[in-house]
Amino acid sequence: MALMVGLMAGCTTVKYEAPPLPAVDEAPQLYVAPIEQKYNLQVGDALAIRSYFDSQLNQEVVVRPDGRISVLLVGEMLVTGTTPEDLASKIKAAYRPLVGDTDLTVAVTRTSGMNVYLSGEVKVPSLLQMDGDLTLLQAIARAGGTLASANTGNVLLIRHRDDGGLQVSKVDLEKVLRNEASDVFLRRRDVIYVPKSDIAQAGQFVDQYINAIVPRFVQLQLGWSWNKSRVTNTNPVIQIQSP
């Protein structure tokens, strides 16, 4: 008995109860395709710097992990957090003492941050490129759907806030599938985590802490059984026979 109590105590976890996602009437912006008013450059973005009247200034650059790019005749520039328009003005100001006033545009040819991440009880944990509007249900479908062990009533949506923090909300995917709740549109860098169901966690406990640790003859005396749908103990009395 002491052995079993010790094993159970070792499995104790602290659960975080995420608040449910607000309803449509409370936060309608969550249920329409997001449109960002401005785009701030970030690490990994590919940029095309173009001048119509001075083609020698044309160049292709990629924002490095330190947030900087190398600009012809100018050198290093920190660009993360600025918009393409602001960067074009900054480069034109740097060129003015060298080549005079010139036309210049900065175009983002590839973005690195337009991704969402899926983890947990999905068939293919994935990093998905957002090549258009994408909802939570569509993202899970692109990841092959959920596993039989998934708790689809408590899917976690983890979103980056503008202040740098994280917002964690719970989505009842079963209600979405039954058309009792609206599907939510995802934003770049969203993380979707599908947890295990209680029965799957119980099965994992049996496999890791009973089957792997408790000797087989003790298991038989305990009366534990596992049939992939429930865990039962048919014999509440522990009897351990001497070898």
Side-chain angles (χ1 to χ4, degrees), residues 1-12 205 209-210 213-214 238:
M1 180 63 73
L3 173 63
M4 294 304 300
V5 171
L7 291 175
M8 290 291 189
C11 293
T12 301
F205 166 79
Y209 293 95
I210 296 181
I213 299 176
V214 180
I238 298 178

Side-chain angles (χ1 to χ4, degrees), residues 91-163:
I91 296 176
K92 285 194 291 185
Y95 275 149
R96 190 169 293 115
L98 303 174
V99 297
D101 290 327
T102 183
D103 68 305
L104 202 71
T105 59
V106 174
V108 180
T109 58
R110 188 186 71 248
T111 61
S112 63
M114 301 300 291
N115 301 314
V116 295
Y117 307 84
L118 285 91
S119 180
E121 300 303 289
V122 292
K123 291 185 178 179
V124 185
S126 310
L127 183 153
L128 300 180
Q129 177 73 26
M130 291 186 65
D131 47 9
D133 299 336
L134 185 67
T135 68
L136 187 147
L137 189 60
Q138 291 170 341
I140 291 179
R142 287 176 59 177
T146 59
L147 299 175
S149 55
N151 183 353
T152 53
N154 291 283
V155 176
L156 296 182
L157 174 61
I158 306 169
R159 176 161 292 173
H160 290 77
R161 298 197 306 259
D162 293 337
D163 60 4

